[in-house]
């Protein structure tokens, strides 16, 4: 299937999920988050039918981690970031229904301070290819990640698939986080390596 067909299929499946199942999976993801390694975590606030809830962010805070959340920029470009303190530090974002941190904005290169990056996704395949919503914010942002950072996509267990359409600019995930499996590794495609800081500066 094409990316558009995959997006339509998975979006429809998420919309059909009953609220009780979503809540159960969100609780499982939050529990799994408590076991994640890393001191500085770039995460996100689940949006719409995305799996998870802010309880995952609270679990990260409870583990003593510094949690940074994305801010959608006013013009197309990489995401900005700000610290997450608790749910009261969130406010309406630029996109309808999206919550964002209201604290001081940090630049896109702040992503490079994280040793763990949790990334929204619609699906991930065996090679670590991630299917996003198609807006491109993470495609433009992940080049700022530190070379050794763990790039973990958060999906439902049914959204782990054998193969997705891939493009040369796609950044491969190093793992996935699901309600049933918890943290599961994914191989990195060495034909499309992540760029180092010196390469980004050129």
């Amino acid at each position: 299937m094409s990316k558009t067909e995959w997006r339509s299929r998975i979006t429809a499946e998420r919309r059909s999920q009953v609220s009780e199942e979503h809540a159960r999976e969100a609780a499982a993801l939050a529990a799994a988050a408590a076991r994640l390694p890393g001191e500085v975590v770039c995460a996100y606030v689940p949006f719409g039918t995305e799996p998870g809830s802010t309880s995952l962010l609270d679990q990260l805070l409870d583990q003593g981690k510094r949690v940074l959340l994305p801010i959608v920029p006013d013009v197309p470009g990489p995401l900005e970031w700000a610290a997450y303190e608790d749910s009261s530090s969130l406010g309406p974002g630029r996109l309808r229904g999206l919550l964002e941190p209201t604290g001081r904005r940090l630049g896109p290169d702040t992503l490079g301070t994280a040793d763990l990056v949790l990334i929204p996704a619609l699906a991930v395949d065996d090679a670590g290819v991630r299917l996003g919503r198609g807006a491109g914010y993470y495609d433009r942002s992940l080049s700022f990640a530190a070379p050794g950072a763990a790039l973990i996509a958060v999906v439902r267990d049914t959204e782990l698939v054998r193969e997705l359409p891939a493009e040369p600019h796609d950044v491969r995930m190093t793992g996935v986080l699901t309600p049933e499996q918890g943290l599961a590794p994914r191989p990195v495609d060495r034909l499309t390596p992540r760029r180092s800081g010196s390469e980004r500066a050129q």
Side-chain angles (χ1 to χ4, degrees):
M1 293 191 293
S2 68
K3 286 188 175 184
T4 299
E5 291 169 328
W6 272 112
R7 289 186 180 109
S8 296
R9 171 181 165 178
I10 295 170
T11 298
E13 290 174 351
R14 286 186 173 183
R15 285 175 177 166
S16 67
Q17 186 184 27
V18 297
S19 58
E20 293 81 5
E21 184 179 21
H22 186 278
R24 179 185 62 80
E25 291 186 352
L29 286 170
R35 300 187 293 272
L36 293 175
E39 299 298 324
V40 179
V41 183
C42 281
Y44 64 96
V45 182
F47 173 58
T49 58
E50 289 178 341
S53 68
T54 55
S55 61
L56 185 153
L57 304 176
D58 294 332
Q59 283 283 1
L60 295 173
L61 286 182
D62 289 344
Q63 297 302 310
K65 304 179 190 298
R66 185 184 188 213
V67 180
L68 302 171
L69 300 179
I71 298 173
V72 176
D74 296 330
V75 296
L79 296 163
E80 298 183 65
W81 303 87
Y84 174 70
E85 305 296 340
D86 54 38
S87 59
S88 68
S89 67
L90 300 175
R94 180 172 172 270
L95 303 180
R96 183 177 180 181
L98 179 65
L99 294 177
E100 294 180 341
T102 56
R104 182 172 64 90
R105 289 195 179 200
L106 307 172
D109 58 351
T110 300
L111 182 63
T113 67
D115 37 23
L116 171 66
V117 185
L118 297 179
I119 304 163
L122 290 172
V124 180
D125 74 10
D126 290 346
V129 174
R130 166 187 169 269
L131 179 70
R133 291 176 176 266
Y137 289 112
Y138 278 91
D139 289 333
R140 293 187 287 266
S141 299
L142 289 176
S143 62
F144 289 95
L151 304 181
I152 308 299
V154 182
V155 294
R156 303 180 68 202
D157 288 84
T158 56
E159 295 161 359
L160 298 176
V161 301
R162 181 61 58 87
E163 184 177 6
L164 290 167
E167 299 179 39
H169 67 265
D170 289 338
V171 177
R172 303 302 201 260
M173 302 293 97
T174 64
V176 292
L177 187 71
T178 75
E180 298 298 328
Q181 296 188 39
L183 181 60
R186 282 294 180 272
V188 174
D189 186 340
R190 301 190 185 282
L191 296 180
T192 54
R194 292 157 59 194
R195 292 180 295 166
S196 68
S198 60
E199 290 172 320
R200 290 195 299 265
Q202 295 176 0

